[in-house]
Amino acid sequence: MEQVLIYFSENREAIFIILLSIFLGIEVISNVPSVLHTPLMSGANAISGVIIIGGIILLGHADLSEFSLELVLGIMAVLFGTLNVAGGFVVTDRMLNMFKKNKKG
């Protein structure tokens, strides 16, 4: 138990930022009209490019000769960031197709 308290006291700024981000995300999503969810989501997914760059930087500093936490986190950041960016572009393309006029009629 004492180690948990020491961990929280050493990383209280990071824990505060994570809790504030969760609270802010819930407030933004719950107060935005449902019409704006898709553009907001696609914009947030495009910001995931920052995560990809961070993952690449982390992989650049990781020791590739052994299995380390930096290596795993870097690979996960690049993988999930790429999936999020690709998903954001797919959703944005689908949303923009909804606003195009149908040429058949």
Side-chain angles (χ1 to χ4, degrees):
M1 184 68 182
E2 186 175 328
Q3 292 178 348
V4 173
L5 292 175
I6 291 172
Y7 178 79
F8 278 116
S9 66
E10 289 176 351
N11 300 311
R12 65 178 175 246
E13 291 90 9
I15 293 170
F16 176 73
I17 290 171
I18 290 171
L19 291 176
L20 187 62
S21 300
I22 291 171
F23 175 73
L24 183 64
I26 290 172
E27 286 297 316
V28 167
I29 293 298
S30 63
N31 290 325
V32 169
S34 61
V35 175
L36 295 178
H37 276 192
T38 302
L40 182 66
M41 185 181 72
S42 63
N45 288 343
I47 294 174
S48 292
V50 175
I51 295 172
I52 294 172
I53 293 172
I56 291 171
I57 291 172
L58 192 60
L59 284 175
H61 291 286
D63 185 14
L64 300 178
S65 64
E66 62 184 31
F67 191 74
S68 64
L69 181 63
E70 294 170 336
L71 183 66
V72 172
L73 288 177
I75 290 172
M76 288 176 58
V78 171
L79 178 69
F80 290 131
T82 303
L83 288 173
N84 209 7
V85 167
F89 282 119
V90 169
V91 168
T92 302
D93 185 52
R94 188 172 177 186
M95 178 189 68
L96 291 176
N97 283 336
M98 290 171 40
F99 293 108
K100 289 182 181 175
K101 292 183 179 181
N102 194 359
K103 294 181 179 178
K104 293 180 182 177

